[in-house]
């Protein structure tokens, strides 16, 4: 059997459904082997977008997403996607080609050491130097990608190895269950919970990844412990739940941090320090861990229980006193069985903060100004999207508004990246979400800066026949950095740019473009586009003029009065 055929059979044995990418000359044997495979090739217009799509596929399904590129520039274009998957704990395999390694007439043309380049960005990277090793290398790559903590892996298939003949056979998938937390850990965590006065639950990305929502909901319902989430933990429990306090969207001194300051124990489920910390562990004097961290969300002397698949990475901002390490769902179910609601628990401060925050989040939702006010925009998108609808956010200042103000009703219905936080991922991740969930409404929400970094994928979405809404938030600048610039006292400089006519731009790809001319137009246009076939792009001018006042000053001042 030709090695490329064996490689494809090994992928099929791993139940690969799609390969996202751009083949090159060095991938042609593999491409030919894919022709008669059950695996569908999704041809993209840039390798970075292919990696974002593969990573998002992994995030949504729990199975390893696969992307493909050629050697040299094709492989280097995967690097941002590799970091996106690795930091975001999304299982993904990158396959790259290479010149013949036994003999080549092209010298060093296009050759970089891709395996070495991928080393710091992946859990596993190997060159396939023998056709006989393909089954073992593929099986190991998939095992590493999916094992906790999930992430990126890479295999390089040189052109001459792909053509070699081999009699090796495919290695079947391994079956395993995650280890369980020890009985001692469960007992200690139970004792800490029942001894606390003001326990608080934090839900992080790890809980969202494994769909532990039912176990966590049962825990909250039995114990009555209020909860909040990180940005990547949104929706694990329906955020309409009466015990939901909010999402940690700002670094500190938000309303939510007034609740965190009052906690004496935080049960941290599925969060690790790769995602921007939702709180800073301090000392008994309520001082931050370092003067450099002043103003961050300070948890003071609160003790922390780390419930996760893997042990905590100790950091100046995070050093939990107790770990419950093992399968998260199993750990929560066992804690639910052991922990009893205690009469000495006092959640009055948490509920006071919740009332103030809920009232604050109503501000601006009916604002008629144009360009559209961010709070109005978020409210209209939430009203337009069904309960299981998916929004995929690119990275920009609007991500803070959506994280704080947009209530997620189901797991993985708010796709955002708070680990690498790369621009350019919004549109590709929305496309992957639509491929995985073809019957659900999906909306990409992108700033004009992030959208233009992978806007060429509109052609891919049109070619694939995807029903997709793309919301472009236009402010003609890198708005997140402008907000930071203002907060640091610098003059407004160096962050403004021009934009194409987005309506004509969308139409040129075969999509349909629209432009909002008033805030009042937005609800009807969102509904129309969500219920129409094909790719629909809506340009929405946004008014970020209050960002500095609200996010840097007013929220801090108002929350201090609670």
């Amino acid at each position: 059997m030709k090695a490329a055929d064996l490689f494809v059979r090994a992928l099929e044995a791993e139940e690969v459904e799609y390969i996202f990418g751009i083949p090159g000359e060095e991938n042609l044997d593999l491409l030919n082997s894919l022709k008669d495979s059950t695996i569908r090739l999704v041809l993209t217009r840039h390798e970075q977008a292919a990696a974002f799509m593969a990573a998002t596929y992994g995030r949504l399904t729990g199975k390893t997403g696969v992307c493909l590129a050629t050697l040299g520039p094709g492989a280097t274009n995967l690097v941002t996607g590799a970091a996106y998957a690795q930091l975001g704990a999304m299982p993904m395999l990158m396959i790259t080609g290479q010149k013949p390694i036994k003999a080549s007439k092209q010298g060093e043309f296009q050759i970089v050491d891709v395996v070495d380049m991928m080393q710091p960005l992946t859990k596993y990277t190997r060159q396939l130097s023998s056709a006989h090793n393909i089954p073992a290398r593929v099986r190991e790559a998939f095992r590493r990608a999916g094992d906790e903590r999930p992430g990126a892996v890479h295999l390089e298939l040189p052109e001459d190895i792909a053509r070699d003949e081999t009699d090796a056979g495919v290695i079947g998938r391994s079956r395993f269950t995650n280890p369980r937390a020890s009985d001692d850990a469960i007992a200690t965590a139970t004792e800490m919970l029942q001894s606390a006065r003001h326990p608080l639950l934090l839900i992080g990305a790890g809980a969202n990844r494994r769909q532990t929502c039912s176990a966590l909901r049962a825990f909250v319902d039995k114990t009555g412990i209020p909860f909040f989430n990180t940005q990547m933990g949104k929706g694990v429990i329906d955020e309409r739940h009466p015990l939901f306090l909010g999402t940690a969207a700002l670094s500190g001194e938000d309303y939510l941090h007034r609740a965190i300051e009052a906690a004496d124990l935080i049960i941290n489920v599925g969060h690790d320090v790769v995602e921007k910390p939702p709180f800073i562990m301090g000392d008994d004097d309520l001082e931050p861990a370092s003067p450099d961290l002043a103003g961050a969300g300070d948890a003071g002397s609160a003790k922390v229980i780390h419930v996760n698949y893997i042990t905590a990475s100790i950091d100046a901002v995070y050093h939990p006193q107790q770990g419950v390490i093992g399968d998260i769902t199993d750990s929560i179910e066992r804690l639910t069985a052991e922990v009893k609601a205690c009469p000495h628990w006092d959640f009055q401060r948490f509920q006071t903060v919740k009332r103030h925050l809920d009232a604050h989040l109503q501000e601006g939702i009916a604002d008629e100004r144009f360009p559209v006010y961010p709070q109005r925009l978020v409210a209209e998108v939430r009203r337009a999207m069904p309960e299981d609808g998916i929004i995929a956010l690119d990275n920009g200042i609007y991500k803070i508004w959506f994280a704080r103000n947009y209530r997620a009703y189901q797991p993985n219905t708010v796709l955002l990246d708070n680990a690498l936080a790369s621009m350019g991922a919004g549109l590709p991740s929305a496309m992957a979400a639509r491929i995985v969930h073809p019957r659900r409404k999906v909306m990409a929400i992108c700033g004009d800066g992030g959208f233009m970094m992978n806007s060429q994928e509109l052609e891919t979405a049109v070619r694939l026949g995807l029903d997709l809404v793309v919301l472009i938030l236009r402010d003609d600048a890198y708005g997140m950095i402008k907000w930071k610039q203002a907060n640091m006292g610098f003059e407004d400089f160096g962050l403004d740019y021009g934009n194409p006519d987005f309506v004509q731009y969308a139409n040129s790809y075969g999509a349909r473009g629209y432009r909002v001319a008033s805030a009042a137009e937005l609800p009807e246009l969102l509904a129309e586009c969500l219920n129409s076939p094909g790719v629909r792009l809506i340009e929405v001018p946004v008014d970020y003029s209050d960002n500095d006042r609200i996010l840097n000053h007013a929220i801090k001042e108002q929350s201090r009065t609670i």
Side-chain angles (χ1 to χ4, degrees):
M1 181 189 305
K2 191 167 78 169
D5 292 335
L6 176 61
F7 195 101
V8 169
R9 288 195 182 183
L11 296 178
E12 290 171 343
E14 299 292 343
E15 300 180 3
V16 172
E17 296 178 285
Y18 302 96
I19 295 180
F20 307 92
I22 303 177
E25 177 186 347
E26 289 71 25
N27 307 116
L28 288 178
D29 282 283
L30 183 62
L31 184 65
N32 192 64
S33 297
L34 278 171
K35 181 166 56 71
D36 299 318
S37 170
T38 57
I39 300 170
R40 182 180 175 189
L41 175 67
V42 177
L43 185 68
T44 62
R45 302 306 297 269
H46 197 286
E47 293 89 352
Q48 184 187 94
F52 286 148
M53 292 178 75
T56 302
Y57 174 93
R59 175 180 186 170
L60 291 173
T61 65
K63 301 191 297 183
T64 300
V66 181
C67 56
L68 172 70
T70 189
L71 79 171
T76 58
N77 280 344
L78 291 176
V79 164
T80 300
Y84 177 82
Q86 183 74 349
L87 270 65
M90 307 175 202
M92 180 182 76
L93 166 65
M94 297 169 288
I95 303 167
T96 60
Q98 189 54 275
K99 295 292 183 188
I101 57 175
K102 290 181 281 190
S104 175
K105 297 180 288 186
Q106 298 194 39
E108 299 296 316
F109 177 64
Q110 287 196 308
I111 292 179
V112 294
D113 190 338
V114 177
V115 173
D116 193 50
M117 177 182 74
M118 292 293 186
Q119 193 72 46
L121 298 171
T122 61
K123 299 176 69 178
Y124 180 79
T125 176
R126 293 289 189 277
Q127 180 187 80
L128 297 169
S129 57
S130 166
H132 299 289
N133 289 338
I134 287 174
R137 292 283 187 262
V138 170
R139 175 81 284 276
E140 179 64 5
F142 275 85
R143 185 189 71 80
R144 296 277 190 102
D147 274 3
E148 295 297 338
R149 183 178 183 266
V153 295
H154 166 248
L155 292 174
E156 179 179 85
L157 180 60
E159 188 176 3
D160 53 350
I161 302 302
R163 289 194 299 263
D164 279 354
E165 292 293 322
T166 177
D167 57 2
V170 169
I171 296 175
R173 298 179 70 195
S174 306
R175 305 292 176 183
F176 65 92
T177 56
N178 287 313
R180 303 183 79 207
S182 70
D183 290 339
D184 285 348
I186 295 292
T188 301
T190 299
E191 183 179 351
M192 292 174 69
L193 273 164
Q194 302 207 152
S195 299
R197 283 271 296 161
H198 312 290
L200 186 59
L201 172 66
L202 165 63
I203 300 174
N208 212 348
R209 186 173 69 252
R210 291 297 185 184
Q211 305 283 294
T212 55
C213 52
S214 57
L216 280 165
R217 175 66 187 254
F219 176 83
V220 168
D221 288 346
K222 178 184 176 184
T223 63
I225 296 175
F227 67 96
F228 70 106
N229 52 35
T230 68
Q231 294 184 39
M232 294 178 73
K234 287 184 70 66
V236 173
I237 299 178
D238 189 331
E239 293 175 5
R240 293 169 294 188
H241 194 288
L243 294 176
F244 174 66
L245 301 184
T247 298
L250 295 172
S251 296
E253 294 207 78
D254 197 347
Y255 287 74
L256 179 60
H257 294 104
R258 304 309 168 200
I260 294 171
E261 291 166 357
D264 62 353
L265 178 70
I266 298 173
I267 315 108
N268 184 349
V269 180
H271 173 68
D272 61 51
V273 295
V274 173
E275 185 176 3
K276 192 173 182 180
F279 61 83
I280 303 297
M281 294 186 68
D283 59 29
D284 291 341
D285 297 323
L286 302 182
E287 292 296 326
S290 161
D292 294 334
L293 301 175
D298 186 14
S301 60
K303 290 181 168 55
V304 175
I305 300 172
H306 177 86
V307 182
N308 213 317
Y309 297 99
I310 57 174
T311 56
S313 296
I314 302 303
D315 190 273
V317 303
Y318 187 64
H319 36 87
Q321 286 82 5
Q322 176 63 39
V324 178
I325 309 305
D327 183 86
I328 289 179
T329 302
D330 178 75
S331 295
I332 295 301
E333 289 173 346
R334 290 161 68 195
L335 285 171
T336 303
E338 295 296 326
V339 176
K340 297 176 176 60
C342 297
H344 63 266
W345 284 347
D346 180 3
F347 303 131
Q348 183 175 346
R349 175 64 173 170
F350 300 156
Q351 292 303 323
T352 299
V353 170
K354 175 180 172 57
R355 287 195 300 272
H356 282 269
L357 177 57
D358 287 350
H360 168 74
L361 293 180
Q362 295 302 304
E363 296 175 7
I365 65 172
D367 196 293
E368 292 291 340
R369 79 182 69 181
F370 188 80
V372 178
Y373 210 42
Q375 296 96 310
R376 173 72 182 271
L377 172 74
V378 175
E380 296 297 353
V381 171
R382 178 61 279 181
R383 278 192 281 266
M385 294 298 289
E387 292 203 3
D388 65 349
I390 298 171
I391 62 171
L393 297 168
D394 209 282
N395 268 281
I397 188 66
Y398 50 89
K399 188 177 78 170
I400 293 176
W401 288 111
F402 274 90
R404 287 186 87 245
N405 294 41
Y406 187 95
R407 293 292 166 93
Y409 303 154
Q410 295 184 19
N412 278 320
T413 53
V414 177
L415 303 182
L416 56 77
D417 169 24
N418 199 35
L420 182 65
S422 171
M423 296 174 71
L427 176 57
S429 60
M431 292 163 60
R434 183 65 191 187
I435 289 170
V436 172
H437 297 295
R439 293 179 177 83
R440 291 164 72 172
K441 304 294 185 184
V442 178
M443 181 185 296
I445 301 174
C446 310
D448 44 12
F451 171 71
M452 289 303 293
M453 291 185 181
N454 269 313
S455 63
Q456 74 284 340
E457 300 307 326
L458 280 178
E459 188 280 327
T460 308
V462 170
R463 174 168 30 91
L464 295 175
L466 300 181
D467 295 337
L468 185 69
V469 177
V470 183
L471 205 62
I472 307 299
L473 312 184
R474 179 172 181 170
D475 68 330
D476 299 318
Y478 291 115
M480 172 71 85
I481 312 306
K482 288 195 100 170
W483 169 58
K484 297 281 189 178
Q485 190 178 53
N487 189 42
M488 295 174 70
F490 292 118
E491 291 184 16
D492 184 352
F493 173 75
L495 296 169
D496 297 303
Y497 48 70
N499 272 310
D501 182 322
F502 286 116
V503 173
Q504 293 187 36
Y505 190 75
N507 293 342
S508 72
Y509 281 115
R512 288 287 302 276
Y514 304 83
R515 182 177 294 111
V516 171
S518 70
E521 290 181 8
L522 189 56
E524 185 177 346
L525 189 53
L526 287 172
E528 176 188 341
C529 291
L530 281 167
N531 291 294
S532 299
V535 179
R536 308 278 168 151
L537 182 147
I538 307 173
E539 177 190 320
V540 184
V542 287
D543 180 359
Y544 287 143
S545 60
D546 272 350
N547 280 352
D548 181 53
R549 179 185 66 82
I550 296 174
L551 299 177
N552 290 331
H553 305 288
I555 286 174
K556 295 178 183 179
E557 293 163 5
Q558 293 165 10
S559 70
R560 288 170 185 163
T561 66
I562 300 175

